[in-house]
Amino acid sequence: MSRAAHRTLAWWLLASVPLAFLGLFFLWPLASVIAHGLLDGGFDAAGTWAVLADSRSADAVVTTLGLAAAGTVGSLVLGIPGAYVLYRLRWRGQRTVRAIVGVPFVLPTIVVASAFSALLGRSGLLGFLGLDQSVIAIAAALVFYNVSVVVRMVGGTWAGLDPATAAAARTLGADRRRVFAHVTVPALMPSIASAASVVFLFCATSFGVVLVLGGTRVRTLETEIYLQVNQFLDLRAAAVLSILQMLVVALVLWLSAVARRRRERVSGGRSLDGTRPFRRADAWVAVPTLLTLGVLLALPLSSLVGRSLRTADGIGLDNYAALFSTPGRTVLPVSVAQAAVNSLVTAAIAAALACVIGQLVATLLTRRSRRAGALDAVVMLPLGVSAVVVGLGMLLTLNRPLLGIDLRGSWWLVAVAQAVVALPLVVRTLVPPHAPSTRVCGPRPRRLAPRRGACGWRSTGRCCDEPSDWRWVSPSRSRWVSLGRRPSWRGRTVPRCPRRSTGCSGGQESRASAWPSPPRWCSR
């Protein structure tokens, strides 16, 4: 067997792990719901067309695309300047501000919706605007929730851009605007496209925010699928809408891949520090950006805190004291402390699963090929499929013991489902496709690594292909994403408590670059 055949066989053996995981806990449940909805009793073409031609479906599609586009544009408008200020520049207190900006993304969607409801409600600070249960309120909440995704993904790339390129353009006579338009923006386009696609998928599949802030006035594909399953028990309509939602997701992923491919920039295996100290000339960008982000974050959260302090007698801590008492069985079947423990345990297990499988997928995706592109598309699918459909599919497919394990009656199923949701985010953050910050080596650095002292698997793993963000993203982000997830089935975790309380369900290497010496831990 040739060396190329060995590599192909090894690739497929490694890929079988994430494919088996997604096939068992995502593709199989999804296919089961679609099969039950479309094929039970035979395929009914007239009934399927009736669902597509229904005005409710058309309104849901238009509203979904409009809200997703508004949320994506708003996140990019605020996130790109924020990426420049928080990652390209260096100033005191920068890390603290980064952590604060990332807080909304790790909040449960039901909490974000409650915060905007407190802000825009009749008794809220901005209640006089009359935006409660409006499309504008939902779009603002989506921007609040997703702006940190753009800041992190674009900022990581911006911090790694080589400043010598811009300096060379300035030397040749280009002014700052031309340097930004013709040098910086093309280099950032892959990361901007990646961030835009992820944010669009998050906005298009948002459930809790739309359900709480939109009420019965605003219907998206996600909420319509929920209503068809939970209230009308119409699996056919849910299956047809799920297929429609997947087509929208596939189109968005294809367009983002085309945009990235046109602007492909892959570093030659080196890690650059393109940051610079803060100057007075940067104040005209930094001050308005930080003030806007501060207002966007402070108003909803402060309104939520203010509502939590309201009691029947005025202002007090009675609501916080009630957390330490045993709630009624109709509110939560366990204590708040037990719900917090359940959340932490399931989040830790989900993070471990997502990190291990995500690192494996990231390693496979660093070898650019058609099969790697297909694997990337499969891994991204959970971002754009209704969690309601996946949860229902798990109940349908895992209704009997699997390998002697009864998962449907076990809390392990919640952790596994959360790992499925967190896996695409881990992979996309570790390996943003064609982004400059991705440490992807060409064939020549891999051949040179052993000659420079790299040992065995480290020459193709840690020294060459390991994504640079691994130490940051995998243990932390996937854990907090899982912690903020509200499962679509029975679960006794912290994100379910507000839902119960409110009554809502919620390459090629650069010739100019030299191969760096391997680190000390990679020497023989």
Side-chain angles (χ1 to χ4, degrees), residues 71-154:
T72 303
V73 172
S75 298
L76 291 175
V77 169
L78 293 178
I80 293 177
Y84 174 78
V85 174
L86 295 177
Y87 284 88
R88 185 67 167 179
L89 304 178
R90 294 195 307 268
W91 42 279
R92 187 174 299 177
Q94 185 180 49
R95 292 187 177 181
T96 302
V97 177
R98 286 182 191 174
I100 295 174
V101 170
V103 167
F105 187 74
V106 301
L107 292 176
T109 55
I110 193 70
V111 174
V112 174
S114 300
F116 274 84
S117 178
L119 176 64
L120 301 175
R122 293 182 180 179
S123 59
L125 182 63
L126 301 181
F128 64 93
L129 297 176
L131 297 178
D132 192 24
Q133 293 193 353
S134 66
V135 174
I136 297 178
I138 298 174
L142 293 176
V143 173
F144 171 86
Y145 190 75
N146 292 295
V147 68
S148 62
V149 177
V150 179
V151 171
R152 180 64 188 94
M153 295 184 70
V154 178

Side-chain angles (χ1 to χ4, degrees), residues 399-451:
N399 56 356
R400 52 187 177 275
L402 184 67
L403 299 178
I405 302 175
D406 185 8
L407 288 177
R408 194 177 72 163
S410 172
W411 59 269
W412 279 88
L413 187 59
V414 178
V416 170
Q418 291 176 345
V420 170
V421 175
L423 179 60
L425 182 62
V426 173
V427 174
R428 182 56 79 238
T429 308
L430 288 175
V431 186
H434 311 294
S437 61
T438 306
R439 295 172 56 185
V440 181
C441 302
R444 186 169 177 267
R446 290 195 183 95
R447 292 196 302 268
L448 291 178
R451 301 177 187 177

